[in-house]
Amino acid sequence: METIIRKSNVFLILILVGFISCNSDNTIFDTYKTLDNGIWKADDPIEFSFLITDTISRNNVFINLRNNNAYSYSNLYVIANLNFPDGRKIVDTLQYRMTDNEGNFLGSGFSEIKENKLFYKEQKTFPMSGEYSVSIWQAMRKNGEIDQIKELKGISDIGLKIEKIE
């Protein structure tokens, strides 16, 4: 009986060690900002600042977004500025698909709120150490209109996540 208990304890420890080693966290930065009343105002950029010390490793950078059923569009346009410690910046205009062909929201979640992990920069190496910042604006317009939507409804949270690639 004692041998069976010892073997099961060893087996349990091996499973636990394997589980922990498979779940190594490569997250460098992960923060969300909550929008008041689920409205993203056109003149209100969402800003994130983070410190980079590793200038060799490659990273994936994601814009994380939580939307609900009040979001009435099948896509999302954003403008993102990546600001370097030396003052240089890269400006990107990005489009993300938010629904499938039937109009169902993409993303994960069982409730009305869907969480989307959207690629911003793939395999990005930050060339210098120091404090970086990212500013994100919504750039949505209705079809055929020039003016930007002033208050985009249905976006509750916006986040930025940086994951080191192993």
Side-chain angles (χ1 to χ4, degrees):
M1 183 70 159
E2 188 175 318
T3 304
I4 294 173
I5 293 173
R6 283 185 189 167
K7 285 182 182 180
S8 65
N9 285 343
V10 169
F11 182 69
L12 185 62
I13 290 171
L14 288 175
I15 289 175
L16 185 61
V17 168
F19 180 73
I20 290 170
S21 65
C22 288
N23 284 328
S24 61
D25 191 12
N26 296 325
T27 302
I28 294 171
F29 182 82
D30 188 11
T31 300
Y32 276 90
K33 304 258 175 116
T34 300
L35 302 178
D36 291 335
N37 301 315
I39 295 173
W40 193 357
K41 296 180 180 177
D43 59 353
D44 189 15
I46 308 304
E47 299 182 6
F48 302 95
S49 295
F50 52 93
L51 183 64
I52 294 293
T53 56
D54 181 350
T55 60
I56 298 170
S57 298
R58 292 176 299 135
N59 306 280
N60 286 328
V61 184
F62 300 94
I63 295 173
N64 293 332
L65 184 107
R66 293 184 185 126
N67 68 286
N68 58 41
N69 290 338
Y71 190 76
S72 58
Y73 303 95
S74 62
N75 61 358
L76 174 70
Y77 284 92
V78 298
I79 297 170
N81 290 348
L82 173 61
N83 301 295
F84 291 76
D86 66 357
R88 289 182 299 139
K89 72 178 172 181
I90 297 174
V91 180
D92 293 299
T93 301
L94 308 163
Q95 178 188 8
Y96 298 108
R97 193 171 162 200
M98 299 298 288
T99 65
D100 62 17
N101 292 336
E102 287 78 41
N104 301 310
F105 284 119
L106 301 173
S108 61
F110 296 107
S111 68
E112 166 184 321
I113 297 173
K114 298 297 180 194
E115 184 159 349
N116 296 274
K117 186 176 181 179
L118 310 168
F119 268 106
Y120 169 39
K121 299 281 185 189
E122 292 183 69
Q123 299 189 25
K124 172 73 178 161
T125 301
F126 293 98
M128 62 187 69
S129 60
E131 187 169 333
Y132 288 76
S133 66
V134 172
S135 301
I136 307 168
W137 287 267
Q138 62 94 347
M140 293 293 291
R141 289 163 175 68
K142 292 185 179 179
N143 283 339
E145 293 187 15
I146 296 172
D147 293 331
Q148 187 176 9
I149 295 171
K150 300 292 183 207
E151 293 186 344
L152 184 61
K153 296 178 183 172
I155 306 292
S156 59
D157 302 278
I158 299 169
L160 187 75
K161 184 171 188 173
I162 304 171
E163 293 177 350
K164 183 176 176 181
I165 300 172
E166 290 288 326

